[in-house]
Amino acid sequence: MDISKMLDYQKLDSELFKLEKSLRDSQHKAQASQMQDTAKKAQERSSQLESKAEALYGEIDKMRSQYAVQQKKMEEIFAKNVDSLSKEEVESLLSVKDKLASNLAILDKNLTRLAESVNAVLADFNKTVKVYNMARETYAKSKGAYDAQLQEVEPKRKQITEKLQEIAKTIDPKLMEQYTKRRKDNIFPVMVPVRDSSCGGCHMELPVSMMNKLKEEGVLSCEHCRRIIYNV
Ligand SMILES: [Zn+2]
């Protein structure tokens, strides 16, 4: 089997492989995807914080109405004319007043605690919004830089691809198919020479039977690394 065209193809294909690798390894691409992730997480966090703040506001409202009820009772006591009451009645009233005062103090303390929690949640929310905006901004920059990178290599990529298509027409279809399959799996180089009865790719030694097959057919798929070994 004449594999010289296949080797020509591979030589040109190595340029395409390098081009694709530079895009795969692009820092801009990596950063864009990282920022997308950061923005998504910040969005999730801000919506969690929103519900948390809502729950806290609900609690505050509940506590404020409880406070108003207790306060009203207190005002009612103060409005009473104690001169008309017996000693026992005054004592009982004072005891109720003490109880109400203690309730109001507890509610007051709880309200202060809730207000602190709300402030902490709001501060966290503002910070998260800042992170989100920063991530969106950086994402737009990185995405733009990556798109520019894509555009820059596009003419070269197109040129190589067209040439490869031309060469492919002159190659045995079965061999071409084997090559393309491995290339898609990111195996490169696909075609490797046999070296001292070993695979030129992974250096696995070939048994005599395989060596005979290689001599007979000209090419052989390595059982270890799947590269196509060719006889030299
Ligand atoms: Zn191998």
Side-chain angles (χ1 to χ4, degrees), residues 147-161:
D147 287 345
Q149 219 175 356
L150 276 178
Q151 244 175 6
E152 198 189 309
V153 303
E154 183 51 25
K156 181 102 181 133
R157 194 198 64 77
K158 197 165 170 257
Q159 190 196 11
I160 297 173
T161 308

Side-chain angles (χ1 to χ4, degrees), residues 156-172:
K156 181 102 181 133
R157 194 198 64 77
K158 197 165 170 257
Q159 190 196 11
I160 297 173
T161 308
E162 277 166 10
K163 265 194 211 165
L164 284 175
Q165 278 166 354
E166 279 305 307
I167 304 172
K169 286 176 195 163
T170 67
I171 298 167
D172 174 61

Side-chain angles (χ1 to χ4, degrees), residues 27-123:
Q27 289 298 315
H28 302 304
K29 189 187 174 195
Q31 197 176 37
S33 123
Q34 202 189 343
M35 285 302 116
Q36 213 168 14
D37 204 42
T38 304
K40 195 172 161 243
K41 277 185 189 145
Q43 205 168 23
E44 279 164 10
R45 175 144 187 84
S46 63
S47 87
Q48 275 169 7
L49 288 168
E50 252 173 347
S51 355
K52 211 168 160 185
E54 228 171 275
L56 284 169
Y57 281 128
E59 257 185 87
I60 286 176
D61 279 348
K62 221 167 73 187
M63 221 158 271
R64 274 192 185 140
S65 53
Q66 278 174 21
Y67 193 93
V69 169
Q70 307 273 328
Q71 207 172 28
K72 194 162 174 279
K73 281 187 191 163
M74 193 69 132
E75 278 161 12
E76 278 163 16
I77 290 175
F78 281 125
K80 276 200 170 127
N81 186 359
V82 281
D83 296 339
S84 63
L85 300 174
S86 69
K87 193 172 170 265
E88 286 78 17
E89 281 172 327
V90 170
E91 264 168 21
S92 149
L93 210 57
L94 283 176
S95 144
V96 172
K97 186 192 136 271
D98 284 348
K99 180 86 185 115
L100 283 173
S102 141
N103 284 350
L104 282 170
I106 291 168
L107 285 168
D108 201 39
K109 217 168 140 188
N110 286 345
L111 275 168
T112 306
R113 186 182 49 80
L114 282 171
E116 278 165 6
S117 300
V118 165
N119 282 341
V121 168
L122 290 182

